[in-house]
Amino acid sequence: SDVPLEIEDVLGPFSGPDTPIEDRSAAAPGLFSDLLLARLRPQHMLLVLDNLEHLLVDLRWLESLLDRAPGIKILITSRHQLRLRDEWVLAVEGLPFPRESLSQDALARLDSVALFLQMAKRADASFTPTDEDWRAIGEIVRLVEGMPLGIELAAAWVRFATCRTIAEEIGKNMDFLSARLRDVPKRHHSLRALFEQSWALLSKDGRAAFRRLAVFRGGFSQEAAAIVADAPLPVLSGLVARSLLRPTSTERMEMLEVLRQYAEERLRAFPEEYERILSKHAAYFISYIAEQEEALKGARQKRASELLLSEIDNLRAAWRWAAERECSEMLERAATGLFLFCDMRNHFDEGARLFREAADGYVEADDERERVLYGFLRGFQAWFTGMRYSADQAKALFDESLETLESVGMSRELALINVLSAFGGHLSERERKRRLRESLAFFQDTNDPWGKAEAHEALAWQLVTADPENAVDHAQRAVEIHRDLADPWGIAMAKFTLGSLFTAHRDYERAKSE
């Protein structure tokens, strides 16, 4: 390393008596001369070394300086931890950036946005952001997650492109973030150059884990990293030490989106590995959804919903992977859990879209099992379409779903779609009652208390005019079953139904009590 020689040149005149330093060739490479160390030992000074990450191959000089000159304090900036005994680490994150849509005033108060505006003015003194520019600037600083170099490289493009175009290009290709400034080190000419430098310093295991982690979206747990990407905690900690990952909690980590693009590019260079890791990712998160289904129907509902929300980006990716490849078993396992999550969280747009994408792959299915799956997926799409868009569109989808499911015979899928269709008010009243009684009988025979509660509640709505006493009885049964399940969402919905029945018959005291 040439660092000791460069430090000698800078500090020599300030480090003691003006006596000649011995022949540098006599000192071992990477070490300070003994004479300079002797001069520095009595000194008290702060030595600042910036961007040291590209000079970490041989740190013997730093160890000798720390051991033999205790009055010297050293402040080092580096994208990689030094891993020395005397090192104290302070992680410096990117500038604060918007994680959701903000007003112009709120954006203007963020340091990341202020830096973009400053760099944009430097690139084009006439730059004045429009309303559309403000929204795009928020997206730009979010995409680079407040990274100052990324912001500076992005802002340099305002002379040639709109802020909206800049944001779109960053989302598609990290090589867009490059510069040709003569007075900037080559490693800062682009994010790719910066990432290539870090990649070159990784071990074989570190490189393999880093590229595999690209399949995750929106972060990941330590467990998921180990199972999906074969990345145990020691490897993850090494990537954190090199600023390629960052912890978001004691259990979770995440990767900058532009870094993820780079890692994915590296992974795609190994097509078989890429497909294998995508398959493992989908299998893990499809199971994750399926495992939360029962919890979503009972006492652990809130926790299950929060867990799924924390992994929403990974869940979307896994579901779409299974849908694109028509992995029937995966879709069957996760469908009800995904439906419950989207319904409870009012993700109606997304629910309609995800179930439509999956169902479209089975339109021409001949296999009986796949036809049942098609009817089930189309029924869930119908429900969310009715909640968010048009009752007429929902009716057409429900008709298609029910016709498909009935062609195969009574099943868990048909029993549930009967209930959803009845809640939506589709088909005739007589037909709805018939279907609901069949569904209730099926849920009773298969010992499905949650399904029974839903069928009772739907029947209550059908009988509100013709048989109000029986309607109240069905609603009360629904409340009781959901209470037995300790299902907060189910209790709330069933009590709403019960209160609505009392209100419809002007029994306001009983309605208030519910």
Side-chain angles (χ1 to χ4, degrees):
S1 171
D2 292 332
V3 176
L5 301 180
E6 294 179 11
I7 293 176
E8 285 184 20
D9 287 339
V10 174
L11 295 185
F14 307 99
S15 59
D18 185 14
T19 56
I21 297 175
E22 73 271 26
D23 183 4
R24 287 176 173 176
S25 63
L31 292 177
F32 273 103
S33 69
D34 289 340
L35 182 57
L36 183 61
L37 282 172
R39 290 177 176 179
L40 290 175
R41 187 177 297 115
Q43 304 297 319
H44 293 271
M45 65 175 66
L46 175 67
L47 181 61
V48 180
L49 304 175
D50 193 20
N51 292 326
L52 201 67
E53 62 268 7
H54 60 297
L55 299 170
L56 301 184
V57 176
D58 185 354
L59 293 179
R60 288 176 298 164
W61 63 271
L62 185 56
E63 292 175 315
S64 64
L65 181 60
L66 291 169
D67 288 341
R68 301 172 63 183
I72 304 297
K73 304 300 180 184
I74 306 175
L75 176 63
I76 293 173
T77 68
S78 171
R79 297 188 69 248
H80 306 163
Q81 290 181 21
L82 310 185
R83 300 199 171 193
L84 297 178
R85 182 187 63 229
D86 294 322
E87 180 181 18
W88 289 60
V89 178
L90 174 64
V92 179
E93 303 291 345
L95 299 172
F97 61 92
R99 296 182 180 273
E100 57 189 21
S101 179
L102 296 178
S103 67
Q104 179 176 323
D105 288 342
L107 283 172
R109 290 194 292 269
L110 294 176
D111 289 341
S112 57
V113 173
L115 177 61
F116 180 93
L117 295 174
Q118 180 183 353
M119 294 296 103
K121 282 283 189 181
R122 178 180 292 182
D124 180 0
S126 66
F127 176 74
T128 302
T130 64
D131 290 344
E132 175 63 20
D133 286 336
W134 279 104
R135 289 189 288 271
I137 291 169
E139 179 70 5
I140 289 167
V141 298
R142 186 191 66 78
L143 283 169
V144 300
E145 299 192 26
M147 183 192 297
L149 177 60
I151 293 171
E152 183 174 353
L153 293 172
W157 281 94
V158 297
R159 289 182 60 195
F160 312 102
T162 66
C163 291
R164 174 50 50 197
T165 299
I166 295 171
E168 290 171 353
E169 290 297 324
I170 294 172
K172 291 187 295 186
N173 180 13
M174 72 168 187
D175 284 331
F176 181 77
L177 293 175
S178 61
R180 295 293 183 268
L181 301 177
R182 297 183 181 183
D183 59 346
V184 173
K186 287 186 177 180
R187 65 182 181 275
H188 288 173
H189 276 188
S190 70
L191 290 186
R192 175 178 292 279
L194 198 63
F195 300 159
E196 291 282 3
Q197 182 188 82
S198 294
W199 172 265
L201 295 173
L202 289 176
S203 66
K204 181 179 178 181
D205 288 344
R207 290 181 180 183
F210 176 62
R211 67 174 180 256
R212 292 169 185 161
L213 292 169
V215 298
F216 291 104
R217 298 291 189 275
F220 51 86
S221 66
Q222 293 175 19
E223 177 190 82
I227 294 174
V228 174
D230 301 318
L233 186 56
V235 174
L236 294 177
S237 67
L239 295 174
V240 171
R242 295 189 181 280
S243 302
L244 295 173
L245 295 177
R246 65 182 182 194
T248 55
S249 71
T250 56
E251 296 293 329
R252 292 184 65 80
M253 298 181 182
E254 68 180 6
M255 187 185 297
L256 282 172
E257 174 56 24
V258 285
L259 259 176
R260 195 203 63 77
Q261 290 179 21
Y262 176 79
E264 185 175 41
E265 182 182 295
R266 288 287 185 176
L267 182 59
R268 285 178 180 271
F270 300 86
E272 291 185 4
E273 181 183 38
Y274 182 51
E275 286 302 317
R276 179 173 63 85
I277 300 302
L278 282 175
S279 177
K280 291 176 70 174
H281 177 274
Y284 180 88
F285 286 103
I286 288 294
S287 294
Y288 197 86
I289 299 172
E291 288 164 4
Q292 301 304 323
E293 179 183 335
E294 288 307 309
L296 288 169
K297 297 175 180 177
R300 293 179 292 118
Q301 183 179 100
K302 185 175 185 293
R303 175 61 175 161
S305 178
E306 290 171 347
L307 287 172
L308 292 174
L309 185 63
S310 71
E311 297 287 8
I312 187 61
D313 293 324
N314 285 310
L315 303 184
R316 290 187 190 109
W319 177 265
R320 285 184 166 132
W321 186 92
E324 288 168 3
R325 289 159 181 77
E326 297 180 13
C327 297
S328 302
E329 189 274 336
M330 285 188 173
L331 298 174
E332 287 172 354
R333 292 183 62 210
T336 304
L338 182 62
F339 163 76
L340 290 171
F341 169 76
C342 289
D343 200 33
M344 291 177 183
R345 287 280 177 175
N346 291 340
H347 290 187
F348 302 143
D349 275 319
E350 182 158 42
R353 183 168 57 253
L354 291 175
F355 283 105
R356 174 183 55 77
E357 292 170 357
D360 284 350
Y362 294 91
V363 172
E364 299 179 0
D366 293 325
D367 177 80
E368 182 176 296
R369 177 180 172 184
E370 289 186 348
R371 287 192 62 74
V372 170
L373 176 60
Y374 171 70
F376 202 37
L377 296 172
R378 198 61 94 196
F380 286 150
Q381 179 195 350
W383 173 258
F384 290 120
T385 298
M387 295 295 288
R388 181 65 180 86
Y389 300 109
S390 157
D392 289 339
Q393 292 179 45
K395 181 183 184 307
L397 293 168
F398 269 126
D399 288 345
E400 188 177 355
S401 168
L402 293 169
E403 181 181 354
T404 302
L405 291 170
E406 283 193 315
S407 70
V408 179
M410 178 53 75
S411 62
R412 174 182 68 94
E413 290 81 4
L414 176 56
L416 182 52
I417 299 303
N418 278 340
V419 171
L420 296 182
S421 176
F423 274 127
H426 302 292
L427 305 175
S428 67
E429 182 177 339
R430 180 177 179 180
E431 181 70 5
R432 292 199 298 269
K433 291 176 183 177
R434 179 187 70 79
R435 288 177 177 277
L436 287 173
R437 290 191 176 102
E438 289 177 355
S439 292
L440 180 57
F442 179 86
F443 289 132
Q444 288 171 335
D445 291 343
T446 56
N447 193 29
D448 182 345
W450 183 86
K452 281 196 298 184
E454 294 299 304
H456 276 303
E457 186 181 347
L459 272 168
W461 283 108
Q462 310 314 311
L463 299 173
V464 62
T465 302
D467 191 351
E469 289 187 10
N470 203 9
V472 168
D473 183 54
H474 280 293
Q476 288 175 331
R477 290 186 192 180
V479 172
E480 290 167 3
I481 295 172
H482 282 303
R483 278 180 176 154
D484 290 341
L485 294 171
D487 172 7
W489 186 67
I491 294 170
M493 294 298 101
K495 292 191 75 171
F496 171 78
T497 296
L498 188 56
S500 297
L501 296 179
F502 289 142
T503 300
H505 294 283
R506 302 180 184 279
D507 191 344
Y508 300 122
E509 288 302 315
R510 294 179 73 185
K512 286 170 61 177
S513 68
E514 295 300 330

